[in-house]
Structures are given as C-alpha cells and as structure tokens.
Amino acid sequence: MAAAAGNGRFFTIGLVASWYSSNIGVLLLNKYLLSNYGFKYPIFLTMCHMTACSLLSYVAIAWMKMVPMQTVRSRVQFLKIAALSLVFCVSVVFGNISLRFLPVSFNQAIGATTPFFTAVFAYLITMKREAWLTYVTLVPVVTGVVIASGGEPSFHLFGFIMCIAATAARALKSVLQGILLSSEGEKLNSMNLLLYMAPIAVVFLLPATLIMEKNVVGITIALARDDFRIVWYLLFNSALAYFVNLTNFLVTKHTSALTLQVLGNAKGAVAVVVSILIFKNPVSVTGMLGYSLTVCGVILYSEAKKRSK
C-alpha cells in the first residue's frame, strides 16, 4: 500500500516536472526563435503549433485512446468551438508577437494579471460579482505590473500592448468557455476541445500567415538550406506546444484545481528565473519587486476565491 502511494507520488511529481519543463521550454524556445535567432514570423510559428496540436491530439485520442473521443453534437456547438478557437488564436499570436520585443521575465509578469482580466470579463459578460475581498486582492496584481513596467530596462510599448492583449484574450477564452460549453451535452474535456479547436485555428491562421507574413514558407526553406537546425527547432517547438496541453490536462486530472493554481503561480516565477539565467536580460530591483507584488496578489486572489466558494 505504501509502495503504491509512493509510486503515485513519484508519478505526480514526474507529471508536474514535465508540465513545468514543457511550459517553460516552449516559452524560451519561442523567445529564442522570434528574438535571438531572428525568425520573425509569429503567426507562422503559431500555425506550426496548431498543426502539431491537431495531429498529435488525433493520435492521442483516436489511436492511443488516452481519453474517450467526444463528438460535436450540433452546428451551434461547432460555432461555439470556432469562436473559442478564434479567441485562442489571438491570445497565442499576440503572445508570440510580444516575445519578439519583450524579455520572458517581463512577459510573465504581465501574464500574471490574467485573474484581473478574468474578473473583468466575468462581470461584463455574465454580470457575475465576486466577494469584495476578491476584488481587493486584484489591486496588488495590477499595481505590481505597473511598478514592473516602470522599472523594466527592456520596456517596449508595442510589445507591452501585444502582451496585455494576449493576456486579456486568454482570460476571455476561459470566461467564454465556461459560458459556451456549460451545458452537460456540450461539455468537452480539454483534450477533446483541443482536438476540435486546433484544426479550426489552422484555418484561421493560414490566410493570416499568407497575407501578413508573405513568402514565409520560401524564407523558411531558404533558412533551412543554410542552417537545417531551424527545421528541428520548429518541429520540436511544435511538439512541445502540444505537450504543454497534454501535461496540463494530466496534472489537472491527477491533482486538485487548487494545487494546479498554486503550481501555476510558482511556474511563472520559475520561468522568470530560468529566462534571466539563459538570456541574461537586464532586470532592475524595481522590476523584480513589482513582479513579486503581482505574484503575491495572484496568491491572495486564489485564496480569496477559494474562501468565497
């Protein structure tokens, strides 16, 4: 019995380590490709991610039977999934664009304000009010980012706007998902939702890539002739983007929602430290204080939400 519990604990630790590694890995590799390597095509990169998610989701569900396949039951449900897919595309593309201009550490600081945008959208769309204490905890979340922005040596206005937009879109998707797929007949687990969202995302991203990133395929082929590593980078990065979703699903399945929140908060801090060590981007004391305040605010927000339930 003790051995089984020990094995279960090791399995959970392994899952969390995989989730952290894939999450931080895809973030750092995106940053390296878009900023350091000079592959300035964030829409095409996102399309590669979504293509990999489409193929690997199908393999995991249809062939490996990791979860039972859930079917789309109506045209209305399909349109709801398409709407979610569009918002999801916007969040990922804008996030990737922001990585061209901002260091990962600052990107993560802004990303930590997701609870603020979630609370705003939940109120605007569903008129759902939280307890007053929950709203109070959002003050340090936003204040921390304002302080971090003022003390960020690599601040870039366009990158900052893109990152804010990506964070807002991510929050909007979670609120819309709760509304659009709330009925029992329409609920999909995250792996099945990705199976249907990813191909729709590719359909949205393909014309956007062709219009906004002209001749990107030709440029990528030319790059591959000079340095074939770009192909391996793109393939590995795309597979890792799927692995982020897979490990997120498995960690959610094997731990509680609260554990996931705590681990998510810590993950941002780990990503900041790792990115500073790898990319050696300058960080000010003011910036780190601001980010720390934001993380503390997010932890307090999680605690306030738990108590209000």
Side-chain angles (χ1 to χ4, degrees):
M1 194 77 179
N7 287 341
R9 198 174 295 118
F10 277 123
F11 177 72
T12 306
I13 291 167
L15 271 183
V16 172
S18 302
W19 182 47
Y20 268 43
S21 306
S22 57
N23 243 292
I24 296 167
V26 81
L27 194 65
L28 297 178
L29 196 47
N30 283 351
K31 174 65 181 171
Y32 174 74
L33 283 169
L34 294 165
S35 187
N36 297 53
Y37 189 87
F39 187 79
K40 299 182 174 74
Y41 305 103
I43 304 174
F44 178 72
L45 185 65
T46 308
M47 194 178 78
C48 291
H49 290 178
M50 292 300 108
T51 305
C53 286
S54 304
L55 297 171
L56 294 173
S57 290
Y58 187 77
V59 169
I61 296 171
W63 292 359
M64 296 171 71
K65 311 262 188 249
M66 289 188 74
V67 292
M69 185 175 279
Q70 297 170 290
T71 54
V72 175
R73 299 188 176 189
S74 67
R75 188 162 156 264
V76 173
Q77 189 187 10
F78 175 78
L79 290 172
K80 288 176 179 179
I81 293 168
L84 282 175
S85 184
L86 182 59
V87 178
F88 180 56
C89 275
V90 170
S91 72
V92 179
V93 170
F94 283 11
N96 283 342
I97 291 171
S98 75
L99 282 172
R100 272 192 63 194
F101 304 100
L102 299 178
V104 172
S105 52
F106 189 43
N107 180 283
Q108 288 294 287
I110 299 166
T113 60
T114 303
F116 168 76
F117 288 104
T118 305
V120 170
F121 286 127
Y123 179 72
L124 291 175
I125 297 169
T126 65
M127 299 305 286
K128 181 189 170 193
R129 288 174 182 270
E130 300 286 354
W132 67 270
L133 191 62
T134 309
Y135 289 119
V136 170
T137 61
L138 291 172
V139 175
V141 172
V142 178
T143 308
V145 168
V146 172
I147 293 168
S149 303
E152 175 54 52
S154 312
F155 183 84
H156 189 285
L157 183 60
F158 179 69
F160 176 75
I161 292 167
M162 286 290 103
C163 199
I164 288 282
T167 307
R170 201 158 46 241
L172 179 61
K173 180 195 163 272
S174 68
V175 172
L176 288 177
Q177 192 171 321
I179 301 163
L180 296 179
L181 303 176
S182 57
S183 69
E184 280 306 313
E186 291 186 335
K187 271 186 184 168
L188 296 171
N189 64 46
S190 59
M191 284 187 75
N192 273 278
L193 185 59
L194 186 67
L195 173 70
Y196 294 116
M197 272 173 51
I200 298 169
V202 173
V203 172
F204 286 136
L205 291 165
L206 183 60
T209 305
L210 294 173
I211 294 163
M212 298 170 75
E213 297 178 342
K214 287 185 176 69
N215 200 26
V216 62
V217 176
I219 292 164
T220 307
I221 292 166
L223 269 173
R225 286 200 189 105
D226 294 334
D227 181 8
F228 197 73
R229 283 179 307 172
I230 185 67
V231 175
W232 296 117
Y233 286 148
L234 289 172
L235 287 172
F236 180 65
N237 192 21
S238 302
L240 210 54
Y242 172 70
F243 203 59
V244 168
N245 291 283
L246 175 65
T247 52
N248 189 26
F249 171 78
L250 293 172
V251 169
T252 308
K253 189 178 169 187
H254 290 277
T255 65
S256 66
L258 181 65
T259 307
L260 192 75
Q261 273 186 334
V262 173
L263 291 170
N265 296 337
K267 176 172 60 65
V270 173
V272 168
V273 173
V274 173
S275 76
I276 291 167
L277 290 173
I278 292 175
F279 294 112
K280 298 182 170 53
N281 53 284
V283 182
S284 67
V285 175
T286 311
M288 286 313 291
L289 282 172
Y291 180 63
S292 303
L293 183 61
T294 296
V295 171
C296 290
V298 171
I299 293 164
L300 291 170
Y301 172 81
S302 303
E303 191 62 30
K305 283 275 285 183
K306 186 178 76 173
R307 291 189 179 188
S308 67
K309 281 179 181 173

